[in-house]
């Protein structure tokens, strides 16, 4: 009895029948429209794509089969008719009524999938983004005896299927009818349908028309014959302006036969930031895939915009971007090599066009040259750099100076450029993007070139020392000046240099700035943190204010005897030297400038009162 009770209380382990997912079609359509597709306009691309794929499938068995797609829009409705392979009633149940199912996966077509545009089996769902009802009438070319079949679906997820008399569709093919959903009628107007069809389908290989207006425009502009090279350049420039809104500096032919790629790259007429992502137009087997392909070219080629057609690159599920895989990586490298070859050709045979290009896009070429030694060697006579001798190429500068000095920041260059130029020291401003990297790489492509970073010590060493007797006589002045600037982490030295009009020069380097920043942080920190920062104190040289003993103003200041006035004048020279170097001012520097200005005003007004 107890045993029976115990057995009866055991849970049942009998097998249960499986359940299938229930799909909320309206929710799925909202998901597609808000997260997969960038715009409702893709519905027309999906319709064109299905029509073109159906024709491709029929022509695989019937090479002479008609290849027509006709679109007609009127009164908030759209009809798209093709002469493709068509569907039987079984196909309709199997393909149209099953979300995610694609005819390209059907048996017998797997080996030919590369001939089709669509690969994901969700294209017809995109029509529900703009339509509340879809009606498909189709007749199969594979099963000649099969009657026409009609499939009608609503956006609530319901559908009906029925066979039709032969007279309803005598020839094989498919016609899709859409009725606009509320708020989406503007997407089914004749004007909008025509514009979208031309945008998406201008390079399609079949006869596509909206009403009586042709959509396709073949061959592609880059594949057409022109009476002369000049005529071709003019035609392609017009094509660029129509697509991208600018007239290009030049046109670069892009061809990668192994990847089935043909197209052009248009060189932008104005400079753009390297960080700005380029938008390229990519057609897949003639159908526009995206206008914003960002990963098509190497990052350094940000100065061109491309339009091309391919039959090998893989689209993402939304078919609005390219799938990042080995093929795309290889194509990117091949297209980059084509642009590199164009640059090399300009350097060898058309220096005027190259100079015009570099005046706008030298930054892109520098970005390429820092990773490509052969490109750096080719561009040495052409790439411009800011130097103390003016804007020169590295080749010209290296020919003039046995040692190529450079600074790593614009601020450092501004500090030393006037004095270095007067002393005959050649300096390159390496503070701009990529410039210091290229200067340092110079010996690798120009053997024997000596490259050295210019620092404060090097500049000071090139300045003339003051006669020891004169400097000794000014020891009191120098002591007062040093005492005033010591809290700012700056030493004062006396030198003689040109130009005479420059009274003072502020020199420091990165190590000195790092040490000053550490000292500033230590002064503002609590005891614990100040102790930690104090333990990090370095032995780097401090910044220095170099006073020009040849300058008349410095001579007058050095003859003063009032320590307070000497300090105020020294602070003024320090502030003026910072401003001349265009250095950003620290709060302590700004306070010093204000204090020195007010101090000089007080001294001037006090002197006038005393004289009165």
């Amino acid at each position: 009895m107890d045993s029976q009770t115990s057995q009866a209380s055991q849970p049942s382990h009998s097998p249960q029948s499986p359940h299938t997912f229930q799909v909320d079609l309206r929710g799925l359509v909202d998901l597609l429209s808000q997260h997969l597709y960038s715009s409702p306009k893709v519905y027309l691309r999906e319709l064109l794509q299905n029509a073109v794929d159906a024709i491709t499938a029929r022509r695989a068995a019937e090479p002479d089969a008609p290849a027509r797609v006709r679109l007609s829009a009127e009164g908030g409705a759209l009809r798209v008719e093709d002469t493709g392979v068509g569907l039987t009633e079984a196909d309709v149940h199997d393909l149209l009524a099953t979300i995610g199912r694609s005819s390209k996966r059907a048996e017998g077509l797997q080996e030919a999938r590369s001939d089709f545009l669509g690969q994901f089996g969700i294209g017809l769902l995109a029509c529900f983004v703009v339509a509340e009802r879809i009606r498909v009438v189709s007749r199969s070319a594979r099963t000649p005896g099969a009657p026409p079949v009609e499939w009608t679906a609503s956006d609530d997820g319901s559908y009906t299927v029925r066979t039709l008399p032969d007279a309803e569709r005598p020839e094989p093919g498919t016609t899709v009818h859409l009725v606009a959903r509320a708020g989406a009628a503007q997407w089914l107007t004749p004007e909008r349908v025509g514009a979208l069809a031309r945008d998406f389908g201008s390079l399609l290989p079949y006869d596509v028309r909206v009403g009586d207006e042709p959509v396709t425009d073949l061959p592609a502009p880059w594949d057409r014959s022109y009476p002369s090279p000049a005529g071709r350049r003019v035609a392609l420039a017009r094509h660029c302006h129509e697509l991208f809104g600018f007239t290009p500096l030049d046109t670069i032919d892009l061809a990668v036969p192994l990847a089935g790629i043909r197209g052009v790259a248009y060189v932008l007429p104005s400079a753009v930031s390297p960080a700005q992502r380029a938008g390229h137009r990519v057609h897949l087997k003639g159908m526009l895939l995206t206008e914003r392909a960002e990963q098509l070219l190497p990052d350094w080629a940000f100065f061109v915009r491309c339009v091309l057609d391919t039959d090998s690159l893989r689209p993402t599920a939304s078919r609005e971007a390219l799938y990042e895989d080995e093929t795309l990586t290889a194509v990117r490298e091949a297209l980059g090599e084509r642009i590199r070859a164009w640059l090399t050709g300009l350097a060898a045979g058309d220096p005027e066009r190259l100079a015009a290009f570099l005046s706008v896009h030298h930054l892109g070429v520098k970005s390429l040259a820092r990773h490509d030694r052969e490109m750096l060697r080719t561009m040495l006579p052409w790439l411009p750099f800011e130097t103390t001798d003016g804007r020169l190429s590295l080749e010209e500068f290296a020919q003039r100076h046995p040692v190529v000095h450079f600074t790593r920041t614009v601020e450092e260059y501004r500090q030393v450029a006037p004095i270095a130029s007067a002393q005959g020291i050649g300096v390159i401003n390496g503070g701009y993007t990529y410039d210091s990297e290229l200067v340092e790489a110079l010996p690798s492509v120009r053997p024997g070139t000596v490259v050295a970073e210019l620092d404060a010590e090097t500049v000071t060493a090139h300045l003339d020392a003051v006669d020891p007797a004169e400097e000794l006589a000014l020891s009191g002045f120098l002591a007062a000046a040093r005492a005033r600037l010591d809290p700012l982490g700056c030493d004062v030295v006396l030198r003689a240099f040109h130009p005479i009009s420059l009274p003072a020069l502020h020199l420091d380097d990165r190590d000195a700035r790092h040490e000053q920043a550490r000292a500033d942080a230590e002064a503002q920190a609590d005891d614990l943190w100040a102790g930690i920062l104090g333990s990090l104190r370095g032995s780097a040289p401090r910044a220095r204010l170099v006073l020009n003993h040849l300058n008349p103003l410095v001579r007058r200041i050095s003859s003063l005897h009032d320590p307070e006035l000497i300090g105020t004048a020294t602070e003024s020279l320090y502030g003026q030297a910072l401003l001349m170097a265009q250095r950003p001012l620290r709060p302590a520097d700004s306070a010093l400038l204000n204090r020195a200005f007010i101090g000089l005003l007080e001294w001037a007004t006090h002197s006038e009162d005393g004289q009165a």
Side-chain angles (χ1 to χ4, degrees):
M1 185 74 171
D2 292 340
S3 174
Q4 292 177 351
T5 303
S6 175
Q7 291 176 0
S9 64
Q10 295 297 318
S12 174
H13 294 285
S14 61
Q16 298 181 0
S17 59
H19 300 281
T20 59
F21 285 105
Q22 300 299 309
V23 177
D24 178 357
L25 187 58
R26 285 199 179 102
L28 185 57
V29 170
D30 288 341
L31 180 67
L32 291 176
S33 62
Q34 294 177 27
H35 297 286
L36 184 62
Y37 296 124
S38 62
S39 166
K41 69 180 183 180
V42 298
Y43 86 92
L44 192 65
R45 184 195 63 199
E46 300 296 341
L47 288 174
L48 284 176
Q49 180 173 279
N50 286 342
V52 169
D53 284 344
I55 293 172
T56 300
R58 183 177 180 185
R59 282 203 156 185
E62 304 175 53
D64 297 329
R68 298 187 304 272
V69 181
R70 297 291 182 264
L71 298 91
S72 177
E74 184 177 0
L78 173 66
R79 184 180 76 252
V80 180
E81 183 175 3
D82 67 66
T83 57
V85 69
L87 301 170
T88 64
E89 182 176 358
D91 292 333
V92 167
H93 285 288
D94 189 39
L95 301 175
L96 297 187
T98 305
I99 294 172
R101 183 70 60 84
S102 170
S103 63
K104 274 74 76 176
R105 296 189 180 93
E107 184 178 357
L109 292 179
Q110 187 70 25
E111 68 279 1
R113 285 188 67 193
S114 62
D115 294 331
F116 297 101
L117 300 174
Q119 305 274 327
F120 296 95
I122 57 175
L124 199 60
L125 281 178
C127 295
F128 280 120
V129 173
V130 298
E132 66 178 8
R133 183 163 56 88
I134 302 174
R135 177 172 170 258
V136 178
V137 177
S138 187
R139 183 164 192 163
S140 175
R142 285 205 183 92
T143 311
V149 61
E150 176 191 71
W151 177 80
T152 304
S154 299
D155 61 0
D156 61 2
S158 62
Y159 73 92
T160 60
V161 178
R162 65 187 181 115
T163 58
L164 301 175
D166 289 348
E168 290 287 331
R169 184 167 186 102
E171 300 296 329
T174 300
T175 304
V176 179
H177 302 264
L178 302 185
V179 177
R181 66 191 305 174
Q186 72 272 19
W187 293 103
L188 272 65
T189 63
E191 297 77 16
R192 180 65 67 87
V193 169
L196 292 178
R198 285 188 294 274
D199 197 35
F200 284 122
S202 62
L203 300 184
L204 288 174
Y206 304 134
D207 179 15
V208 182
R209 297 173 183 262
V210 176
D212 296 326
E213 293 295 321
V215 167
T216 51
D217 186 17
L218 294 176
W222 50 86
D223 285 331
R224 295 173 189 169
S225 298
Y226 297 94
S228 67
R232 186 175 190 271
R233 283 197 298 269
V234 170
L236 289 179
R238 186 184 308 116
H239 177 247
C240 175
H241 196 275
E242 292 172 355
L243 288 185
F244 298 114
F246 66 84
T247 301
L249 276 179
D250 206 350
T251 300
I252 308 169
D253 285 308
L254 302 177
V256 185
L258 292 178
I261 286 178
R262 290 280 300 167
V264 288
Y266 294 117
V267 181
L268 290 164
S270 56
V272 294
S273 167
Q276 180 177 330
R277 304 303 297 176
H280 307 292
R281 289 177 64 94
V282 177
H283 295 256
L284 179 62
K285 302 181 183 71
M287 180 75 74
L288 179 66
L289 181 70
T290 178
E291 300 172 280
R292 300 185 302 276
E294 296 181 351
Q295 70 274 48
L296 185 65
L297 295 181
D299 290 340
W300 56 261
F302 55 82
F303 49 84
V304 299
R305 295 292 180 269
C306 293
V307 53
L308 54 82
D309 188 26
T310 176
D311 59 16
S312 64
L313 298 179
R314 290 176 56 195
T316 59
S318 67
R319 291 189 286 280
E320 295 184 286
L322 297 172
Y323 186 80
E324 187 70 46
D325 58 9
E326 293 181 358
T327 301
L328 180 57
T329 299
V331 166
R332 184 186 301 121
E333 293 176 356
L335 295 179
E337 183 58 39
R338 183 66 193 87
I339 297 173
R340 184 186 290 107
W342 169 78
L343 283 170
T344 304
L346 286 187
D350 200 341
E352 290 186 0
R353 268 205 301 167
L354 178 63
F357 166 76
L358 289 178
S359 67
V360 179
H361 296 299
H362 58 273
L363 197 60
V365 181
K366 286 180 177 180
S367 174
L368 169 60
R370 67 194 177 114
H371 297 301
D372 188 327
R373 291 294 178 261
E374 188 58 39
M375 181 56 62
L376 176 57
R377 183 179 292 106
T378 301
M379 290 292 129
L380 269 182
W382 308 104
L383 287 175
F385 288 78
E386 182 180 354
T387 78
T388 49
D389 294 349
R391 287 189 71 79
L392 297 175
S393 69
L394 288 181
E395 179 67 28
E396 290 177 287
F397 189 85
Q399 290 174 356
R400 295 185 184 189
H401 300 278
V403 178
V404 177
H405 288 102
F406 73 98
T407 63
R408 291 193 181 275
T409 68
V410 174
E411 290 79 9
E412 290 173 357
Y413 178 80
R414 288 170 178 164
Q415 286 182 77
V416 303
I419 188 65
S421 179
Q423 302 300 313
I425 308 173
V427 184
I428 296 176
N429 184 355
Y432 296 114
T433 306
Y434 312 131
D435 282 10
S436 62
E437 296 175 69
L438 294 176
V439 174
E440 289 183 294
L442 187 55
S444 68
V445 296
R446 196 178 188 275
T449 303
V450 179
V451 173
E453 183 176 353
L454 189 68
D455 55 22
E457 291 288 345
T458 304
V459 176
T460 306
H462 279 78
L463 304 181
D464 294 333
V466 177
D467 182 83
E470 292 188 53
E471 188 167 2
L472 182 60
L474 297 176
S475 59
F477 160 74
L478 292 173
R482 288 166 179 156
R484 183 58 66 96
L485 295 187
D486 184 68
L488 295 173
C490 183
D491 292 331
V492 177
V493 296
L494 191 64
R495 292 290 187 272
F497 55 87
H498 292 273
I500 295 176
S501 59
L502 189 66
L505 180 67
H506 181 269
L507 292 177
D508 66 358
D509 53 27
R510 281 168 295 156
D511 290 337
R513 287 195 292 276
H514 291 164
E515 176 61 20
Q516 183 60 52
R518 186 209 58 78
D520 291 343
E522 181 182 355
Q524 299 173 13
D526 56 33
D527 292 341
L528 175 59
W529 188 237
I532 296 173
L533 291 172
S535 67
L536 299 176
R537 183 179 294 110
S539 59
R542 305 207 307 169
R544 66 197 66 185
L545 180 68
V546 184
L547 301 180
N548 188 358
H549 188 54
L550 301 180
N551 180 265
L553 177 60
V554 172
R555 284 183 174 272
R556 287 197 295 271
I557 293 174
S558 64
S559 65
L560 297 173
H561 299 289
D562 182 353
E564 187 63 29
L565 184 54
I566 290 174
T568 300
T570 303
E571 289 179 336
S572 299
L573 291 174
Y574 173 82
Q576 187 263 355
L578 286 180
L579 294 175
M580 286 289 292
Q582 302 182 43
R583 288 283 306 280
L585 299 180
R586 299 171 298 165
D589 297 329
S590 299
L592 175 144
L593 279 172
N594 291 332
R595 183 171 66 248
F597 178 71
I598 293 173
L600 289 176
L601 284 179
E602 289 178 347
W603 178 82
T605 54
H606 175 73
S607 298
E608 289 181 0
D609 292 343
Q611 291 174 0

